Amino acid sequence: MRRPASYCTPHHEPQANGAGILSVMRYRMIAVDLDDTLLGRDKQVSCANRDAITRAHDAGVLVVPCTGRTWHKAKTLALDVLPMLDVGVFFDGSTVCHCATGAIRHCTTMADDAAAALLDWFDGGEYTLVYCCRDNASHYGYVVTGDALAGRIVDAWLSDAPVDVVVNSAASPAAVRSTLGVRIVAEGDAAIERAGAALRDRGAADRGLTWHALWFVQGGLSVMQIYDCKVDKWAALQWVAKQHGIEP
């Protein structure tokens, strides 16, 4: 997170309010990443960062968390200690949610036929698919399909999710409508590389999909993340700005 010019140092006490921040920064909106930015190496929001966010907010600046994490993970890590935040951009830009409740304000979903095709291509065998789907007008839930790793995935990632989690070893296309994003999960990077090659060979891009591997291990598992090609953090931030009368 960019440190405001009026931010305190050991030799300079902070101002009593946020006026100094606003006069120096002249910003109406700040987007801030979570990992390695708002969050430290300990995955905590430091007192210094919390104070900077609070003072920017008090100065009238719209502070928007912007992250690849889903809302419920962001809430656990950061949002609960920053109750002044209004909306955030989550899941790599596929959703804009109310920070306190997770209610969806704006989202980009993949085509239903594309979501169903992933079931045909990867369901079963060495892969488990985790669908994040818009489940009604304002919230989302998860569908975990494939037997191989479902239990480990739920225990490692979703046990604390304050949203619906359905484990279905044979999910139907109807169960994965309004998909915000899909994670293909397997043991080992080699399996994820094979999944990427399969996506290319089967024409996933022609179905309007984009994907990238998460090259780090989560709970001993490797992950390929898939979205609609229109999903974009910057586009989501522009939507937020427009809703608040802010010109990019």
Side-chain angles (χ1 to χ4, degrees):
M1 184 177 64
R2 178 181 294 176
R3 177 177 290 187
S6 60
Y7 192 92
C8 62
T9 69
H11 305 290
H12 180 73
E13 291 300 317
Q15 298 184 17
N17 55 55
I21 291 178
L22 189 62
S23 63
V24 173
M25 295 177 68
R26 303 182 187 278
Y27 297 145
R28 295 184 61 193
M29 174 176 161
I30 298 172
V32 57
D33 192 14
L34 296 190
D35 293 281
D36 299 319
T37 305
L38 185 59
L39 299 173
R41 292 181 180 178
D42 59 356
K43 299 302 179 185
Q44 301 288 323
V45 179
S46 69
C47 292
N49 280 351
R50 185 167 62 246
D51 179 62
I53 294 293
T54 300
R55 291 189 289 128
H57 174 268
D58 290 347
V61 178
L62 177 65
V63 181
V64 182
C66 183
T67 178
R69 292 182 180 270
T70 53
W71 165 78
H72 87 268
K73 284 299 184 184
K75 182 176 187 295
T76 301
L77 290 168
L79 305 183
D80 283 344
V81 299
L82 297 168
M84 77 293 292
L85 299 181
D86 181 20
V87 297
V89 173
F90 303 101
F91 213 18
D92 282 324
S94 68
T95 55
V96 176
C97 296
H98 183 247
C99 288
T101 66
I104 294 174
R105 298 287 188 255
H106 175 72
C107 68
T108 301
T109 58
M110 66 177 62
D112 288 343
D113 63 341
L118 295 173
L119 283 176
D120 291 337
W121 297 345
F122 296 105
D123 191 18
E126 64 182 327
Y127 298 109
T128 297
L129 275 63
V130 182
Y131 283 80
C132 181
C133 303
R134 184 170 184 168
D135 61 3
N136 57 45
S138 62
H139 282 85
Y140 68 89
Y142 293 97
V143 176
V144 182
T145 182
D147 294 326
L149 304 168
R152 287 174 60 186
I153 290 168
V154 172
D155 290 344
W157 302 342
L158 303 176
S159 60
D160 62 344
V163 297
D164 291 337
V165 178
V166 176
V167 179
N168 188 338
S169 60
S172 68
V176 295
R177 292 173 179 164
S178 301
T179 292
L180 299 162
V182 180
R183 286 180 174 174
I184 299 176
V185 187
E187 291 190 281
D189 292 346
I192 293 303
E193 289 177 354
R194 291 194 295 273
L199 288 167
R200 290 189 297 271
D201 294 344
R202 291 169 176 170
D206 295 334
R207 291 179 177 268
L209 299 179
T210 185
W211 59 92
H212 63 273
L214 302 181
W215 293 118
F216 56 89
V217 174
Q218 296 184 324
L221 304 173
S222 298
V223 181
M224 179 74 77
Q225 186 74 61
I226 308 173
Y227 298 106
D228 183 88
C229 63
K230 296 186 294 296
V231 167
D232 179 74
K233 286 182 182 178
W234 176 240
L237 287 169
Q238 288 179 307
W239 184 90
V240 173
K242 184 177 180 180
Q243 300 307 301
H244 290 79
I246 299 171
E247 292 294 328

